[in-house]
Amino acid sequence: MKKILFASQNKSKVSELILLTDTYLEILTLADLSYTKEIPETGETLEENALQKAKTIYNTFHIPCFSDDSGLFIDNLNGEPGVHSAHYSGNRDHGQNNQLVLDKLHGASNRKAHFKTIFCLVLSPDEYHFFEGEVHGQIATESKGNGGFGYDPIFIPEGYSSTFGELNSSVKARFSHRARATQKLIKFLAESFK
Ligand code: IMP
């Protein structure tokens, strides 16, 4: 069985991904290798951050590894909060981040937005691949629902009238940005490693 390392400290992402993989692949986590340091994320794009995280971990353990970076991109705010999604309001408080977005879009009719995830897979010092997933929708006029995390209570995906915060998590898991990027990564790994 091939071993691959997921360069993430986020336990829910790790378990989500392990569920999606087949038996040909063993996904190791940073916890399995007792790695607890914070991984630097100083890029100006999702791609730069994902590559930086995957390379940091590859250079430490020298086995194939991948990482992810995500964000919310709002058309009317020139793509903000984008790569700064986690601490848009100045700290990592989801409620404050959501309120800032609602305030900035107060009265706006164009509320189009999308979530995007980039995975970066590093197979050797000079071989790396990117996989992208997006989900498009609208920013709601008020925060609704307690499900999910981050901007879920203010994001209404295309084809729905409820926010990700109101929808069942299994609905989100079917077509979210992360699910779409994960499917591409898993397909690539299946073809490369089988
Ligand atoms: P990460 O790179 O996946 O940790 O995401 C960075 C930030 O983007 C998070 O802290 C959230 O604010 C936002 N974000 C990413 N994915 C989602 C999502 O699925 N729902 C809501 N917010 C998200």
Side-chain angles (χ1 to χ4, degrees):
M1 201 190 306
K2 290 276 186 187
K3 286 185 198 252
I4 191 160
L5 177 56
F6 185 17
S8 172
Q9 315 273 22
N10 182 322
K11 284 184 189 145
S12 49
K13 285 186 191 171
V14 170
S15 41
E16 223 177 79
L17 217 116
I18 287 173
L19 277 181
L20 286 165
T21 47
D22 211 340
T23 46
Y24 63 90
L25 199 62
E26 183 185 352
I27 301 209
L28 299 175
T29 67
L30 293 178
D32 293 330
L33 301 174
S34 304
Y35 185 97
T36 51
K37 279 195 258 177
E38 185 135 346
I39 313 171
E41 273 184 61
T42 55
E44 275 308 308
T45 62
L46 300 182
E47 285 82 357
E48 281 173 24
N49 276 343
L51 180 61
Q52 184 182 27
K53 288 189 271 189
K55 276 197 165 169
T56 301
I57 297 304
Y58 182 87
N59 290 337
T60 307
F61 295 106
H62 307 287
I63 61 169
C65 75
F66 63 92
S67 69
D68 72 319
D69 205 42
S70 309
L72 174 68
F73 295 78
I74 301 173
D75 290 13
N76 211 343
L77 301 179
N78 296 318
E80 284 184 24
V83 71
H84 306 294
S85 292
H87 40 78
Y88 191 40
S89 61
N91 58 54
R92 285 185 172 267
D93 185 296
H94 293 321
Q96 286 181 27
N97 289 341
N98 288 345
Q99 194 53 52
L100 181 59
V101 168
L102 292 176
D103 290 347
K104 287 196 177 203
L105 287 185
H106 183 72
S109 51
N110 178 3
R111 311 186 71 87
K112 282 189 197 156
H114 64 276
F115 280 116
K116 183 168 170 179
T117 291
I118 297 288
F119 274 100
C120 178
L121 169 68
V122 175
L123 293 177
S124 73
D126 46 25
E127 184 182 354
Y128 51 88
H129 303 267
F130 291 105
F131 305 90
E132 181 195 300
E134 290 187 358
V135 59
H136 288 252
Q138 303 273 337
I139 300 299
T141 51
E142 57 180 324
S143 183
K144 279 190 180 168
N146 301 315
F149 72 103
Y151 298 94
D152 283 343
I154 60 164
F155 184 83
I156 303 172
E158 238 164 43
Y160 290 81
S161 52
S162 309
T163 67
F164 266 156
E166 294 173 291
L167 290 167
N168 191 291
S169 60
S170 63
V171 175
K172 181 184 173 193
R174 277 206 301 273
F175 61 87
S176 76
H177 47 311
R178 214 172 348 270
R180 287 178 169 151
T182 302
Q183 282 153 11
K184 291 180 192 170
L185 170 74
I186 301 283
K187 186 166 179 278
F188 181 90
L189 290 173
E191 283 159 10
S192 321
F193 283 5
K194 257 185 182 165

